[in-house]
Amino acid sequence: MYKISVVIPTLNRAELLAETIEGIESQSLPREQYEVIVVDNNSADRTIEVLEQKSFTYSNLRFSLQQKPGAAATRNTGLEMSSGEIVLFIDDDIESDRKLLESHLRYHGETPDASVIGTIRTNWETTRDPFLRYMRDRGIFDPYSVNGSTLDFSCYHTGNVSTPRRTLEGLGGFDERFEVYGMEDIELGYRLERSGCPMVRGVEATALHHYFPSYGQFAERCEQAGFSLGLMLKLHPELRGRFTENGRVTRLLRPFHRLYRAAEPMIHPLSRSLEKREERRGSGPISTPLGFHYDWALRYRFFLGFSHYATNGNGVRSNEPAREREDVNIKESTSKVPTSSLVR
């Protein structure tokens, strides 16, 4: 039996995947002590070609195809294929530190029944891109580096997290009803925590995330994550108070959502002008007006995704405009986006 199994879901990222595999196959841990399992979620690029070549090079690498959409089903296939005592989930755009596996195993030796939340860094420090600077300075897209004193199931992001295999299998793995991006990892984290599996920081289990989303790409992610939150709360209604708010402030904010929806076509040209100006300013903090725009735009998209689920009620995304719910507003929505899941 291997000490640790590395499960990597992938979709249409052949070149990045090749680099991710090279990093995980260059560990300080001897290869006979770990296996690498890549599951392709029906890619249309040259992913299979890359996997065939890498599996020929590395005897501890296996791969499979999962046609059912979604990160949950894709990771479950990898879990079913695994034989290691510990399962480490990473994404297909992760550059692993050379001691990543060694560090995860050390943390599990210290706390055998825990899930280890690894640390992921970004390389946005000197970027001139306004949106990346916004996320960098707000800490919105760095959920992998656990900050502050709160560490619970909401930190279970599968870009760099490990759990004993027997524990994952005992809970049935990821819930495959999550077919849209987001929340499938946090939902599993919730079930893990309830079963008595604590979350521990893996400060030295580090990796670099090669991800540079545009505003449009991330806004779409927010909407998808809001939709998936609807399913999360359907499965676990007791978490409604954790992820939503219904107070007086919420009632005051609702009109702003409608106002933003109506004004969005006019706001876009102005925001593009602000972005172009910010690109010339360098890599420092962005201007207050542009930051305010991003705050509300992402909050609105998250809210819109949640409204899609609340309106349809069946877990299937519709292309029809959502009717905004009157009884809920997303609490700290942008910071709740689980960006570590499989990128689609």
Side-chain angles (χ1 to χ4, degrees):
M1 179 184 291
Y2 293 104
K3 288 188 176 181
I4 188 167
S5 299
V6 184
V7 173
I8 308 172
T10 191
L11 176 61
N12 292 329
R13 284 183 166 179
E15 305 308 320
L16 275 173
L17 175 63
E19 295 177 7
T20 296
I21 291 173
E22 287 301 314
I24 209 68
E25 291 286 6
S26 303
Q27 293 289 296
S28 59
L29 195 69
R31 285 202 190 104
E32 60 268 19
Q33 295 185 20
Y34 69 96
E35 63 178 347
V36 181
I37 299 170
V38 182
V39 184
D40 177 27
N41 197 194
N42 208 23
S43 294
D45 62 1
R46 53 185 296 271
T47 292
I48 294 299
E49 178 184 338
V50 168
L51 290 173
E52 288 175 345
Q53 186 271 318
K54 296 298 182 184
S55 63
F56 180 79
T57 303
Y58 301 112
S59 60
N60 64 339
L61 170 65
R62 293 182 291 145
F63 66 92
S64 182
L65 175 67
Q66 169 58 264
Q67 293 186 334
K68 182 177 180 180
T74 306
R75 291 195 180 94
N76 277 347
T77 297
L79 174 60
E80 292 167 4
M81 294 173 62
S82 68
S83 62
E85 298 173 14
I86 304 297
V87 175
L88 168 64
F89 296 105
I90 65 172
D91 284 338
D92 59 1
D93 53 1
I94 292 295
E95 180 182 337
S96 304
D97 179 83
R98 189 170 180 273
K99 293 188 177 182
L100 179 67
L101 302 189
E102 184 180 331
S103 297
H104 272 280
L105 288 175
R106 185 176 72 253
Y107 286 117
H108 281 284
E110 296 168 356
T111 315
D113 297 321
S115 287
V116 177
I117 313 296
T119 301
I120 288 188
R121 299 173 290 106
T122 61
N123 48 7
W124 300 339
E125 290 81 3
T126 60
T127 183
R128 298 177 69 92
D129 182 277
F131 186 64
L132 294 181
R133 285 152 54 195
Y134 162 80
M135 294 204 296
R136 176 198 67 194
D137 296 340
R138 294 291 204 280
I140 290 175
F141 190 65
D142 193 15
Y144 315 101
S145 299
V146 182
N147 298 315
S149 58
T150 302
L151 182 70
D152 64 6
F153 71 92
S154 65
C155 300
Y156 195 86
H157 301 289
T158 42
N160 180 9
V161 65
S162 61
T163 303
R165 181 166 57 87
R166 68 178 185 279
T167 304
L168 292 167
E169 292 176 339
L171 292 176
F174 295 88
D175 192 321
E176 296 187 10
R177 284 172 286 187
F178 287 90
E179 295 187 357
V180 175
Y181 167 84
M183 302 305 285
E184 80 287 336
D185 44 5
I186 292 178
E187 192 277 334
L188 175 56
Y190 181 59
R191 286 186 283 123
L192 284 167
E193 190 171 82
R194 284 198 309 178
S195 73
C197 176
M199 307 289 149
V200 301
R201 291 184 179 88
V203 178
E204 296 179 8
T206 61
L208 179 67
H209 196 188
H210 290 284
Y211 181 55
F212 305 90
S214 67
Y215 159 71
Q217 290 169 335
F218 197 76
E220 173 62 18
R221 279 191 155 201
C222 287
E223 189 169 339
Q224 291 173 338
F227 183 86
S228 293
L229 176 61
L231 176 56
M232 172 80 160
L233 297 184
K234 181 179 180 180
L235 297 174
H236 306 287
E238 69 275 12
L239 292 176
R240 191 175 187 86
R242 171 66 183 274
F243 290 100
T244 65
E245 55 188 20
N246 291 278
R248 187 174 69 175
V249 173
T250 296
R251 291 193 294 273
L252 294 174
L253 290 176
R254 285 176 192 146
F256 285 95
H257 286 294
R258 299 189 186 92
L259 179 62
Y260 188 88
R261 178 177 59 183
E264 197 171 17
M266 296 177 288
I267 292 173
H268 182 70
L270 176 59
S271 66
R272 281 299 302 142
S273 176
L274 290 173
E275 287 173 337
K276 289 180 180 178
R277 188 182 71 175
E278 285 296 334
E279 288 171 358
R280 295 191 295 267
R281 290 183 60 233
S283 59
I286 64 172
S287 64
T288 300
L290 186 57
F292 183 79
H293 162 66
Y294 286 148
D295 285 340
W296 273 100
L298 297 184
R299 184 182 181 95
Y300 172 71
R301 292 296 291 272
F302 198 100
F303 177 83
L304 189 62
F306 187 90
S307 296
H308 268 294
Y309 190 93
T311 300
N312 297 328
N314 57 8
V316 179
R317 280 190 87 201
S318 169
N319 291 325
E320 297 298 320
R323 175 179 60 83
E324 293 182 1
R325 283 286 298 272
E326 294 295 324
D327 63 338
V328 66
N329 195 50
I330 304 304
K331 180 191 297 182
E332 298 177 355
S333 60
T334 52
S335 65
K336 296 298 183 184
V337 178
T339 51
S340 59
S341 301
L342 180 64
V343 177
R344 290 185 281 279

